[in-house]
Amino acid sequence: MSSGANDVTSKTTKMDMPTVISTLENPKSQIALVMYRHAKDEEKKIAWTSNPRDTALLHRTWTEDFETLYTIGKLFAGPNGAACKSLYPWIAKYEESGRDYVETNDFRVLCLRLVQTVAIFLDEIGEKAKVEVFLYKLGQRHVDYLPRDTKEEFLDMLRDATHEGFNERVHSLSELTEEERDRAIQLWTDSVDYIFNMVKEGFFDGLKSFDRFPGIEKWALVQYLQQ
């Protein structure tokens, strides 16, 4: 992962994309690492500038232990839980049989996949082009195991519920100052938005048999990241 600022430009013709603004000159700035604007023009150039200070804070507030898995997994118990569960029919089957789906291997695998996605995002955060392709292709892969009638608002509910899990995680970290906690919440909010937006774009393009990166195999993303 790059430790310095890394400027990359890319183009988009649709949906929300990130503009990342460096705050090295003003570390107290409330401008987030990732900020979104709706791209209404036919074509816009989006500049990504990685910020080592904010990247370090994201890493400080992240962990891949099992406690985090289940904190994030609580998203299914929130106000949007029913919509989130509808994306994974196996949850209803467990509930109908009286089993606690949280204790099942299927649920652990689901949470693990989310955690792995975030971990890769953090590892490659200085490589905007790779992050964009990885998340987009991950969305394309979801065509094979999400219902084809999945509505965008359901994925937005899943995103909002994921925000709740990350906010709870950050609030549990007593070693953070109030300023660091506020900053971390903003960074995680924007990072989760970016992850979901790119995955959604890949998913809905995939449903239409369209691929922005046809030369990259969607089932070989680990090999792609290692290039």
Side-chain angles (χ1 to χ4, degrees):
M1 182 180 70
S2 173
S3 59
N6 180 26
D7 295 334
V8 183
T9 59
S10 66
K11 298 179 180 179
T12 181
T13 58
K14 58 182 176 178
M15 76 177 298
D16 294 62
M17 289 290 291
T19 300
V20 184
I21 302 175
S22 174
T23 58
L24 287 176
E25 297 78 14
N26 180 15
K28 294 184 179 180
S29 170
Q30 291 304 302
I31 298 176
L33 173 67
V34 183
M35 297 184 68
Y36 291 86
R37 65 169 179 255
H38 189 67
K40 296 182 179 180
D41 301 317
E42 281 298 312
E43 182 175 271
K44 281 191 176 181
K45 289 185 178 180
I46 306 299
W48 173 297
T49 304
S50 62
N51 179 345
R53 190 186 305 276
D54 285 337
T55 299
L57 182 57
L58 285 171
H59 279 279
R60 280 182 59 199
T61 52
W62 171 251
T63 178
E64 298 179 44
D65 62 24
F66 283 105
E67 181 179 352
T68 301
L69 289 178
Y70 286 106
T71 297
I72 296 173
K74 291 178 182 177
L75 57 90
F76 292 100
N80 296 323
C84 295
K85 290 177 183 178
S86 70
L87 298 173
Y88 306 98
W90 51 265
I91 293 180
K93 293 181 179 179
Y94 284 124
E95 290 185 324
E96 289 170 2
S97 65
R99 293 185 60 186
D100 183 358
Y101 66 88
V102 175
E103 301 300 327
T104 66
N105 186 61
D106 286 328
F107 184 75
R108 290 171 64 88
V109 169
L110 173 62
C111 293
L112 182 59
R113 285 174 176 166
L114 176 57
V115 168
Q116 288 174 331
T117 299
V118 175
I120 290 173
F121 169 80
L122 288 179
D123 285 344
E124 303 292 341
I125 199 169
E127 301 287 343
K128 193 272 179 184
K130 282 191 174 183
V131 170
E132 181 178 341
V133 172
F134 168 74
L135 295 173
Y136 180 88
K137 286 290 187 174
L138 188 62
Q140 296 256 306
R141 284 168 55 161
H142 277 68
V143 172
D144 294 327
Y145 46 81
L146 279 184
R148 297 188 67 85
D149 61 350
T150 296
K151 300 183 183 300
E152 184 172 357
E153 52 263 38
F154 283 6
L155 295 176
D156 289 342
M157 290 179 183
L158 184 60
R159 175 205 61 204
D160 293 344
T162 304
H163 282 316
E164 296 174 12
F166 277 99
N167 287 346
E168 182 175 335
R169 160 70 184 167
V170 172
H171 279 293
S172 71
L173 301 175
S174 59
E175 67 271 21
L176 296 178
T177 66
E178 183 176 352
E179 182 180 4
E180 288 174 332
R181 183 173 294 105
D182 290 343
R183 182 65 172 163
I185 289 174
Q186 181 66 70
L187 292 172
W188 278 115
T189 296
D190 294 336
S191 296
V192 169
D193 281 349
Y194 175 60
I195 290 170
F196 271 83
N197 279 351
M198 289 308 306
V199 170
K200 282 195 306 180
E201 182 183 0
F203 174 69
F204 288 110
D205 278 356
L207 289 179
K208 294 178 288 188
S209 299
F210 175 77
D211 187 349
R212 281 210 290 132
F213 307 103
I216 300 171
E217 171 56 51
K218 67 182 179 180
W219 297 108
L221 294 180
V222 173
Q223 293 89 327
Y224 166 73
L225 291 171
Q226 292 174 345
Q227 293 177 0

